[in-house]
Amino acid sequence: MILGVIGPSRIVQKFQWVANDISQLTVFPLTYETMLDAPRIAEENQSKVEALYFVGTSPYFLAARVIQPLVLWVYLERPI
């Protein structure tokens, strides 16, 4: 599976490091400087992956408000 991971570079790098142990998973890193870039990144890249993983609810909902998902979209919930 090719999984696009949308988030800040530091968190995406950690995700890649953990995912290295999963042979069936290829991480496609999609980093942003600000979560306001998430909709554009999702729109430009969802055709290149089998699913998009957002590292937080805010970038997910920002993108979901304006972009129609073409693949599975999921997000990481962070407890407060």
Side-chain angles (χ1 to χ4, degrees):
M1 169 182 252
I2 301 172
L3 179 64
V5 179
I6 299 177
S9 61
R10 190 186 71 186
I11 297 174
V12 171
Q13 287 172 351
K14 287 180 182 180
F15 191 93
Q16 283 181 283
W17 183 76
V18 171
N20 279 339
D21 293 338
I22 305 170
S23 62
Q24 303 91 343
L25 183 63
T26 300
V27 174
F28 191 77
L30 301 166
T31 61
Y32 58 65
E33 293 293 318
T34 172
M35 73 176 76
L36 297 175
D37 294 330
R40 177 188 54 78
I41 292 169
E43 184 174 39
E44 292 174 357
N45 294 283
Q46 68 176 333
S47 64
K48 301 172 187 173
V49 298
E50 296 175 67
L52 283 176
Y53 181 81
F54 293 79
V55 294
T57 56
S58 295
Y60 171 88
F61 286 111
L62 282 171
R65 281 188 12 208
V66 295
I67 306 299
Q68 177 66 38
L70 302 176
V71 296
L72 175 66
W73 286 19
V74 293
Y75 58 87
L76 172 66
E77 273 195 61
R78 294 185 187 174
I80 296 175

